[in-house]
Amino acid sequence: MEINGKMREGMAYLMNYKGVAPPTAQYYNGIKKGYEDNGMDTKYLHDAFVRSVEYQQAELCESEEFMENELQMSLE
C-alpha cells in the first residue's frame, strides 16, 4: 500500500465472523504490543476497538428493541 507517497508492506487479518465484535483483551494487547514494537501509532488500533464496541452495543440495542416489539405484539 502507499502511505504518504511511499510504498509500504502491510498485513490484514480478516476473521470469518458474522458482524463486528471487539477482540478479547489478550488478542487486543498482543496487537497493541506489535504496534508499539514496530513504532506504530496505537491511536488507530484504539479507535477501531472503540468502534467495534459501539457497533456491538448498537446491535444489542436493536435486538432488545425487536424482542420487546415481538413480546408486545404477542400480548395484544
Side-chain angles (χ1 to χ4, degrees):
M1 71 186 84
E2 187 175 322
I3 301 174
N4 297 327
K6 295 182 181 180
M7 291 303 292
R8 301 285 185 187
E9 285 190 29
M11 183 172 63
Y13 176 75
L14 300 174
M15 231 175 121
N16 291 329
Y17 184 85
K18 184 179 178 185
V20 175
T24 64
Q26 181 180 1
Y27 185 74
Y28 176 86
N29 288 329
I31 294 172
K32 184 178 178 198
K33 182 175 180 341
Y35 269 58
E36 293 167 345
D37 289 350
N38 289 285
M40 298 169 62
D41 187 352
T42 60
K43 177 187 182 318
Y44 302 104
L45 178 64
H46 178 266
D47 291 349
F49 175 76
V50 169
R51 284 192 308 273
S52 72
V53 170
E54 291 170 347
Y55 181 88
Q56 187 178 56
Q57 287 174 341
E59 288 286 310
L60 288 172
C61 288
E62 286 178 20
S63 185
E64 286 176 5
E65 188 175 301
F66 174 78
M67 290 171 59
E68 288 174 6
N69 290 339
E70 289 292 311
L71 178 60
Q72 177 102 18
M73 288 179 8
S74 67
L75 293 176
E76 292 175 352

